[in-house]
Amino acid sequence: MNLMFRKLHRDVRKSVKEAIIELGWDLPDNIPIEEPPRPDMGDVATSVAFELASKLKRSPVKINRELMEVIKKPTIFKEIKSVGPYLNFFINYQNYSESVLETVDEDYGKLETIHEKIILEHTSANPNGPLHIGHIRNSILGDSLSRILSNSGCTVETQYYVNDMGRQIAMVVWGLLNLKFDPSKLADQSPKDIDPYQQIDNIIKEHSKLNDLEGTYLNGLKNILYLQIFIDAELRDHQIGELYFQVNQELKNNPDLKGGVDELLRVYERGNDPLLGFFFKEAVNACLEGMDPTLQRLHVHHKRFIWESKFVRNGSVDEIITKLKKDGHTQENEILCLNLEDYGIEKELVLMRSDGTSLYSTRDLAYHLEKSNESDVVIDILGSDHKLAIQQISIVLGFLDGKSPEVIFYEFITLPEGSMSTRRGVFISVDDLLEESTERAMEEIKKRRDDLSNDEAREIAEKIGVGAVRFYIARLSPEKHIVFKWDEALSFERGCASIQYAHARACKILQKAEFDSSTVNLEGILGKYDLKSPERELVKVISQFTWVVEESARSRKVHLVSQYCLDLASAFNKFYKSMPVIGSEEEEFRLALVDKSRITLRNSLELLGIDAPESM
RNA sequence: GGGCCCGUAGCCUAGCCAGGAUAGGGCAUCAGACUCCUAAUCUGAGGGUCCCGGGUUCAAAUCCCGGCGGGUCCGCCA
């Protein structure tokens, strides 16, 4: 672990403190550390003189003059200058560079293990259609954060909360039981002259036991078979989405059908109709089977999928309700609910419908209690529209002796024409986004490389395309509302591609020079060489990486890492442009610097789930 | 109506929690750089009422109060 950058701050504080003591002044509460606005003004600065000014009744400039008389320069610095009210410290880059290069290894950025288990829930999109660009903000923030937290030494378990009990899923199941898929939308690989449902009828005829099924269940079975036989796994979420859209149309035209959906929900919750349970499970599974390849392609991973129905089946929902009732928190008339007015929330929290079924919030309460029991810290990634709901949940978790989750809220991604909606079938799917992104990357590659095979180009285009999408989301602070625009999302200039490009450049130099890190002796590598400013800047940025990992993990801010990646790439590209490496006087040092840049670029991109191609 | 979030050049954005140097970047615009490790790059220029108005402070994009504009929530939805 590289603590060089941290040491700079520590050494500044220490020497300032000692100087203040020597002058017999009171130590201020805080010795602020800043970075000077320009590199030629120094590397680390402190405005401690401001802190002292009011107590000492002297001007900051005067105070600095006195501090400068007695202050001892830490060895890592070359000099200290007093500029107005600031003390500016200049790094001794000969020493510093050697220390930094020595401590950067292939695992650079991985911090010491701390024994803290975090359960991080993210994505958790309803299985009623494919993932769209509104969902990926959740996935990308969650997955990146999980990588950052793991790197910072925590144990992170990522979970996807599968909603298999809500009304929306019941609507999908209703569609499965009462409607048909549209075979005209089958992919081209199926011959047009066959009727899928005809084939399915034949299959059912051949299985005598299936012949007993009738009515909606028979229809449901046909639809399940349709999905499994005729639809590729990766497209099943799209089919479910279209079915869901169709059901919404039906319901709009005939609101009486709502009763049928409610009945499905009641029966499923009671859990005594195995066949209906089968249809719920199959509907949800079909959708998850379609989402899985999408998430894989984005490098988004979940350790566990937790099905919501579990908390009804295993009795924890009942236990919670019993406990809340017993402790006198609840109010009961037709429904069972909690009055949270004492906690500043006007809106009561309903725990049970008048028909006795549970609600999302009831089950979510049980889920959060489980997460609380299984971890030290619970983190949720949620759209900011869930703020009130999670606030209610948190209060009730307090009644139940559970930990409140830490929540990272993000604002919506909308289209220029308005908000997205699975229900209305208005959205851009992640699959389409990735397809477009890799396609555009492919065009760029073809523009500049004619030496690559199609497969090689494809492979690189995939890394660039996925990287562009992930970076587009990860670079922005989550509380910022995004209006999705293709050209902004898939820009290859000064964005992710420029970072990947810096990495590819580094790889190319090392490859060309046949660099072997194992034979390099870093000691005394610099001799008396006075580093040029692009080299100094690059060394400094490399040394900041550990601190960035720490800081982004602590503050749970993914975009700090994105910003860092850009800074690092920029420092490297400037160095690359202005300093010859191969064949130069300082080749040995510069190759080592290129190698450390390569590692840091790769590891920082890794935190964002972005591949670093070795050639572009 | 009430709660929460956002408002920084034509566009996107960091900085705000922990107030300090000329408000950082990027896109777009303009001017320049490939006989030299890939120009997905680099160098330079112009462009700002940090939404508005008060207040606190030696010092406010940052903290406090009041507005304005946009988003979102206030379901026996999830």
Side-chain angles (χ1 to χ4, degrees):
Chain A
M1 167 163 165
N2 184 315
L3 292 170
M4 291 312 296
F5 187 70
R6 265 259 205 84
K7 185 171 158 53
L8 294 174
H9 292 188
R10 218 173 42 228
D11 285 2
V12 168
R13 283 210 171 89
K14 187 157 170 268
S15 63
V16 169
K17 241 183 225 171
E18 284 168 0
I20 291 171
I21 289 168
E22 188 164 337
L23 289 164
W25 300 339
D26 288 339
L27 281 172
D29 302 334
N30 176 34
I31 296 176
I33 300 291
E34 294 159 45
E35 194 171 352
R38 286 198 319 269
D40 60 282
M41 298 171 80
D43 300 288
V44 185
T46 178
S47 57
V48 69
F50 281 118
E51 308 281 319
L52 297 166
S54 58
K55 274 190 218 159
L56 297 173
K57 309 237 184 286
R58 252 172 284 185
S59 80
V61 181
K62 224 170 176 179
I63 289 168
N64 266 351
R65 216 171 291 147
E66 293 184 53
L67 281 171
M68 285 294 284
E69 300 265 315
V70 299
I71 196 162
K72 290 194 186 64
K73 180 178 66 61
T75 54
I76 200 84
F77 293 102
K78 194 174 63 190
E79 65 171 325
I80 307 172
K81 277 186 191 163
S82 170
V83 181
Y86 295 92
L87 284 182
N88 294 344
F89 291 68
F90 292 73
I91 292 175
N92 176 338
Y93 273 98
Q94 248 140 38
N95 294 352
Y96 191 61
S97 304
E98 269 185 34
S99 314
V100 170
L101 293 185
E102 265 168 27
T103 48
V104 175
D105 58 13
E106 294 289 338
D107 282 337
Y108 183 43
K110 227 176 205 89
L111 311 187
E112 248 169 73
T113 304
I114 45 177
H115 294 283
E116 181 172 84
K117 180 174 173 184
I118 299 178
I119 291 181
L120 172 55
E121 181 206 335
H122 68 82
T123 307
S124 302
N126 282 340
N128 60 350
L131 293 169
H132 61 61
I133 57 176
H135 297 123
I136 48 170
R137 195 168 200 185
N138 194 315
S139 305
I140 291 169
L141 284 172
D143 186 72
S144 304
L145 188 61
S146 110
R147 289 162 186 267
I148 290 163
L149 292 170
S150 304
N151 245 262
S152 77
C154 310
T155 305
V156 183
E157 179 176 302
T158 46
Q159 297 189 353
Y160 188 122
Y161 187 44
V162 181
N163 172 358
D164 66 320
M165 265 211 146
R167 173 164 278 129
Q168 286 151 349
I169 304 310
M171 283 163 70
V172 170
V173 171
W174 185 90
L176 226 40
L177 300 180
N178 294 284
L179 304 174
K180 281 196 159 50
F181 289 106
D182 181 359
S184 71
K185 287 185 177 159
L186 275 183
D188 295 336
Q189 71 259 25
S190 325
K192 291 280 180 223
D193 54 337
I194 58 147
D195 175 359
Y197 281 103
Q198 182 67 50
Q199 284 196 34
I200 288 165
D201 283 340
N202 293 340
I203 292 167
I204 291 172
K205 263 183 217 143
E206 285 166 26
H207 293 77
S208 55
K209 278 182 195 158
L210 296 180
N211 274 318
D212 298 343
L213 276 179
E214 48 188 27
T216 56
Y217 282 7
L218 179 60
N219 190 63
L221 178 70
K222 287 181 187 178
N223 280 327
I224 296 294
L225 289 172
Y226 177 89
L227 283 174
Q228 292 190 347
I229 296 170
F230 295 99
I231 306 297
D232 290 342
E234 65 196 47
L235 296 174
R236 287 177 194 158
D237 51 346
H238 290 262
Q239 290 286 325
I240 294 287
E242 283 187 28
L243 185 67
Y244 180 67
F245 172 73
Q246 231 183 306
V247 173
N248 275 289
Q249 299 298 107
E250 296 279 333
L251 265 140
K252 213 163 100 188
N253 296 334
N254 185 0
D256 295 345
L257 297 176
K258 186 174 168 289
V261 174
D262 288 346
E263 177 62 15
L264 290 178
L265 222 43
R266 272 195 294 275
V267 176
Y268 183 53
E269 175 145 350
R270 221 178 291 136
N272 54 7
D273 182 343
L275 222 41
L276 185 65
F278 165 80
F279 287 120
F280 269 82
K281 190 165 155 256
E282 286 301 316
V284 171
N285 263 334
C287 203
L288 292 179
E289 280 165 355
M291 290 168 163
D292 183 59
T294 310
L295 291 171
Q296 295 293 329
R297 196 174 176 195
L298 270 176
H299 309 144
V300 171
H301 305 294
H302 290 92
K303 175 125 188 263
R304 294 172 70 193
F305 285 73
I306 310 289
W307 287 51
E308 194 184 357
S309 55
K310 161 182 164 181
F311 301 103
V312 171
R313 307 277 180 254
N314 71 7
S316 53
V317 163
D318 285 342
E319 267 173 46
I320 285 170
I321 287 177
T322 310
K323 182 159 196 308
L324 289 172
K325 271 187 187 167
K326 197 178 122 220
D327 295 349
H329 292 292
T330 56
Q331 291 180 352
E332 213 165 348
N333 28 45
E334 280 179 14
I335 52 171
L336 185 72
C337 64
L338 283 158
N339 184 328
L340 300 174
E341 266 182 348
D342 292 349
Y343 301 85
I345 295 178
E346 305 248 335
K347 189 64 211 161
E348 62 195 10
L349 178 66
V350 180
L351 295 170
M352 208 191 276
R353 293 192 181 96
S354 52
D355 68 1
T357 55
S358 61
L359 283 103
Y360 177 83
S361 37
T362 335
R363 276 119 44 191
D364 203 24
L365 208 46
Y367 176 42
H368 273 91
L369 203 54
E370 178 180 276
K371 289 195 281 190
S372 168
N373 290 334
E374 292 178 354
S375 69
D376 301 307
V377 177
V378 179
I379 300 180
D380 294 344
I381 315 283
L382 294 174
S384 60
D385 54 330
H386 285 71
K387 275 187 182 175
L388 177 61
I390 204 72
Q391 205 186 337
Q392 292 173 319
I393 297 273
S394 294
I395 293 165
V396 183
L397 277 169
F399 300 161
L400 300 165
D401 301 321
K403 291 187 285 287
S404 293
E406 227 183 85
V407 189
I408 287 106
F409 293 107
Y410 60 91
E411 291 294 329
F412 281 3
I413 300 181
T414 55
L415 301 174
E417 53 270 29
S419 61
M420 281 175 279
S421 156
T422 312
R423 181 167 51 81
R424 293 182 324 217
V426 182
F427 57 85
I428 297 172
S429 75
V430 178
D431 293 325
D432 288 349
L433 176 65
L434 289 173
E435 223 27 63
E436 178 72 21
S437 186
T438 49
E439 207 42 59
R440 290 192 192 196
M442 193 69 180
E443 278 168 34
E444 294 294 319
I445 292 167
K446 283 189 173 147
K447 263 192 240 167
R448 44 202 110 202
R449 299 286 294 267
D450 50 15
D451 59 317
L452 294 173
S453 74
N454 209 53
D455 283 355
E456 287 169 323
R458 231 346 115 204
E459 200 180 311
I460 296 168
E462 181 72 16
K463 292 178 180 175
I464 295 170
V466 171
V469 169
R470 284 198 64 139
F471 197 76
Y472 171 60
I473 300 299
R475 59 182 260 272
L476 296 179
S477 176
E479 65 270 15
K480 222 93 168 181
H481 173 210
I482 298 178
V483 178
F484 179 85
K485 298 188 188 98
W486 284 100
D487 290 338
E488 274 173 21
L490 306 181
S491 153
F492 298 132
E493 266 166 40
R494 283 322 215 103
C496 189
S498 74
I499 303 160
Q500 293 172 314
Y501 189 57
H503 179 263
R505 278 176 151 178
C507 290
K508 184 63 181 293
I509 291 179
L510 296 169
Q511 191 192 7
K512 193 162 177 189
E514 293 177 13
F515 179 80
D516 180 359
S517 63
S518 64
T519 65
V520 172
N521 182 12
L522 290 167
E523 206 168 319
I525 194 171
L526 283 159
K528 289 213 166 92
Y529 176 59
D530 190 16
L531 277 74
K532 302 285 182 296
S533 91
E535 294 168 313
R536 290 201 294 264
E537 190 57 25
L538 185 52
V539 166
K540 184 157 83 174
V541 177
I542 288 174
S543 77
Q544 287 168 342
F545 184 47
T546 315
W547 175 77
V548 169
V549 174
E550 255 175 9
E551 188 56 20
S552 65
R554 185 194 63 79
S555 62
R556 323 287 198 223
K557 284 180 182 168
V558 170
H559 68 276
L560 296 182
V561 174
S562 315
Q563 190 54 55
Y564 177 76
C565 288
L566 280 176
D567 292 345
L568 179 58
S570 170
F572 181 80
N573 281 326
K574 277 174 189 154
F575 160 79
Y576 180 95
K577 264 300 183 202
S578 54
M579 310 265 111
V581 176
I582 297 170
S584 71
E585 295 255 316
E586 308 300 329
E587 175 170 322
E588 201 184 6
F589 160 66
R590 287 186 187 155
L591 278 174
L593 186 54
V594 170
D595 190 43
K596 304 308 184 187
S597 303
R598 172 190 66 81
I599 292 171
T600 313
L601 282 162
R602 184 200 60 201
N603 290 1
S604 54
L605 283 173
E606 170 72 25
L607 292 178
L608 301 175
I610 296 169
D611 284 335
E614 291 176 15
S615 158
M616 274 173 79

